[in-house]
Amino acid sequence: MNPRLRSLPYRAGTAVTALALTLALSACGAAGADDAAGDAGGGAISVAVTDPIQTIPGRQTVAYDLNMAVWSPLTWVDADGELTYVAAESIESDDATTWTVTLRDGWTFHDGTPVTAQSYVDSWNAVAYGPDAFENSGQLAGIAGYDDLNPAEGEPRTTEMSGLAVTDDLTFTVTLDGPDGQFPMQVSQAQTAMYPMPASALEDMDAYNTHPVGNGPFQVVGDYVENEPIETEAYADYQGTAPTVDAISFVPYADATTAYTDVQAGNIDVASVPAARLPQASGDFGERLYTFEAPGISFLGLPLWDERYEDVRVRQAISMAIDRETISDVVYGGLYTPATAFTPAVEAGTPEGICGDFCTYDPTAAKALLDEAGGFDGTIDIYFPGGIGLDELYKAIANQLRQNLGVEAVATPSADWAEFSENRTNGDIDGPFFSRWGALYPSQQNTLRSFFVENGGCPNCIPYYEDDVADLIAAADAEADPDAAGEAYAAVQERLLEDFPAPPLFFETYSYVTSERVAELPTSAVGNPTFSAVVLAEGA
């Protein structure tokens, strides 16, 4: 089951300078017909998932694993953070604003129709069209003309973004609202709104959701039926790297713990580890526990609309009163890393350690800092979504704040995720709260935009939206050179440290367990297993 709980859309920042660049990516193992999927290694695997309801890439919110098997992205970011080409032959720009995408020749959808530049342009326009309310539409928000399809009032007067243009069958251009050196990252594997769809999909989206047709290594066999396994098999005419298995069955589970125990029993091959089982997973599975570094980070969000949290010393004191190491050991089995920056360590250029003393457990200094700020009036009411396994985490934080700051602290769950999300979005919370983001591509851009740019993706996760911070993020976006971009995003974090709007808690990992049939479960930079490259045990 996919462990990521995410809000997907983001808005692109407006850059303040333009850079000349030509991005040359190394060729991914996804090139010629010589590597076609007819050479799959054999065997089949079963994977526990959440029932997707929506299978279409522009609409799905929990079908990442299915989407990454049935579709191929333009680019791929591997576990080492290297960006390579997949369906694209090249992605180039002279100014980081207008990008030319050249596709590999010979690729087809599973219905046999060719994948063309028009396929991408038509698909992206369909996903971006506001009245259709595609859940992942916001992934396209940086393209010029997106606002025309999503006007603040009334219906759009057009169905096509001005920033998209077809040059020929294998080439199209993408003009952004401003220079953005991270664009090649944005078309990688987890940004599913960027996947192409065949022409037939645009004629009947309901039918397409029932039988999705992609351009990836696996094709769907039969139709999707709610709460039934989704069967896929290797696509014989796939032009990328051949998958190592012949078939994948995506089996829906309503309960993550049931999936976990089914892996123990050998009834299914792969499942994510529910939070309540993290402390025991190593003992249960040994080397069959896979923990992947991931672009996820959690914060203790603070209600900055409440005057009791206005003083930065109060926010710093709360952070220093939290023993992250102990919480990781007790709640997460030591699998999470205490955060020392405002973006995950896996994102290139993250200035680990920038948080310094404010992210270091020091209850004596924390109490002194709170006293210096004039103390705290009333109870620290910690609010978190109920029903998703977070009770032990927030009870532990409440206990530590109570003991170390001498302030009454209580952790209270919501009835469900919907109630929590509505209250946080509306600002109807008067205490610290759950706040996290799992980035869809491993760039500081995605995390910083999502938290610190208004309408950036995670509304009120950290209710701190300063114009100068947004400007710094936009300036970093405009940097084409990776080292320069890393330094520019680090400058954003230096600015955040001044106001310390919320305590970073953990750099996250995504954990999975496998049956004895699986010898190797590879991953990528977004923390999900790469199921097309699974190695089965001998005789499996």
Side-chain angles (χ1 to χ4, degrees), residues 152-497:
E153 297 180 1
E155 293 292 309
R157 297 181 180 179
T158 180
T159 59
E160 298 180 354
M161 289 182 281
S162 60
L164 297 178
V166 172
T167 303
D168 56 42
D169 282 352
L170 296 177
T171 312
F172 65 103
T173 59
V174 184
T175 301
L176 306 177
D177 283 332
D180 191 343
Q182 301 297 300
F183 177 74
M185 280 272 192
Q186 295 166 11
V187 294
S188 59
Q189 61 263 34
Q191 291 269 98
T192 60
M194 306 296 194
Y195 289 160
M197 297 182 287
S200 59
L202 308 181
E203 298 170 1
D204 189 339
M205 282 292 180
D206 289 337
Y208 188 60
N209 190 65
T210 298
H211 191 86
V213 174
N215 66 327
F218 292 90
Q219 61 183 344
V220 174
V221 178
D223 290 342
Y224 162 65
V225 177
E226 190 172 340
N227 292 317
E228 294 291 331
I230 303 173
E231 306 295 345
T232 69
E233 64 181 13
Y235 177 49
D237 292 328
Y238 182 58
Q239 297 299 298
T241 298
T244 55
V245 293
D246 289 329
I248 305 173
S249 179
F250 294 95
V251 183
Y253 280 79
D255 179 69
T257 300
T258 302
Y260 180 93
T261 56
D262 270 1
V263 177
Q264 284 182 294
N267 297 328
I268 199 163
D269 293 316
V270 185
S272 63
V273 182
R277 295 299 177 98
L278 285 171
Q280 69 186 70
S282 179
D284 287 345
F285 286 90
E287 292 183 354
R288 291 187 288 117
L289 166 66
Y290 291 82
T291 298
F292 302 138
E293 190 174 15
I297 186 171
S298 59
F299 287 79
L300 184 64
L302 298 176
L304 301 182
W305 48 75
D306 187 321
E307 63 181 11
R308 296 178 300 170
Y309 298 89
E310 285 183 356
D311 193 314
V312 68
R313 293 169 295 182
V314 172
R315 305 194 289 269
Q316 293 164 345
I318 289 173
S319 181
M320 296 168 71
I322 299 171
D323 186 351
R324 295 163 176 80
E325 288 280 1
T326 296
I327 290 176
S328 176
D329 290 341
V330 174
V331 178
Y332 297 120
L335 297 178
Y336 280 14
T337 301
T340 61
F342 295 93
T343 57
V346 72
E347 293 177 352
T350 288
E352 291 185 67
I354 192 172
C355 192
D357 291 343
F358 301 135
C359 288
T360 302
Y361 179 54
D362 190 339
T364 301
K367 181 64 167 62
L369 197 58
L370 185 65
D371 290 344
E372 181 183 313
F376 190 89
D377 183 23
T379 300
I380 297 178
D381 293 300
I382 304 175
Y383 185 59
F384 63 95
I388 61 173
L390 295 172
D391 297 67
E392 294 305 312
L393 167 63
Y394 288 99
K395 286 178 181 177
I397 291 175
N399 287 337
Q400 291 178 357
L401 296 183
R402 185 185 311 111
Q403 294 167 6
N404 297 328
L405 297 179
V407 175
E408 182 59 29
V410 178
T412 305
S414 66
D416 53 26
W417 171 256
E419 176 191 281
F420 172 83
S421 180
E422 181 179 1
N423 287 338
R424 184 178 65 184
T425 299
N426 295 336
D428 294 333
I429 300 174
D430 60 3
F433 51 84
F434 167 88
S435 176
R436 75 168 295 277
W437 184 260
L440 297 176
Y441 52 98
S443 167
Q444 290 184 68
Q445 178 193 69
N446 188 249
T447 300
L448 292 172
R449 280 182 177 181
S450 301
F451 281 123
F452 303 110
V453 174
E454 197 160 15
N455 300 318
C458 199
N460 276 346
C461 283
I462 300 176
Y464 171 86
Y465 306 113
E466 297 294 325
D467 289 343
D468 65 324
V469 172
D471 289 344
L472 286 169
I473 293 173
D477 293 346
E479 294 286 357
D481 177 75
D483 292 336
E487 292 176 3
Y489 288 122
V492 177
Q493 301 207 37
E494 291 280 2
R495 173 65 184 88
L496 292 173
L497 191 63

Side-chain angles (χ1 to χ4, degrees), residues 513-524:
V513 289
T514 71
S515 72
E516 293 180 350
R517 298 184 64 253
V518 176
E520 183 178 344
L521 186 69
T523 186
S524 71

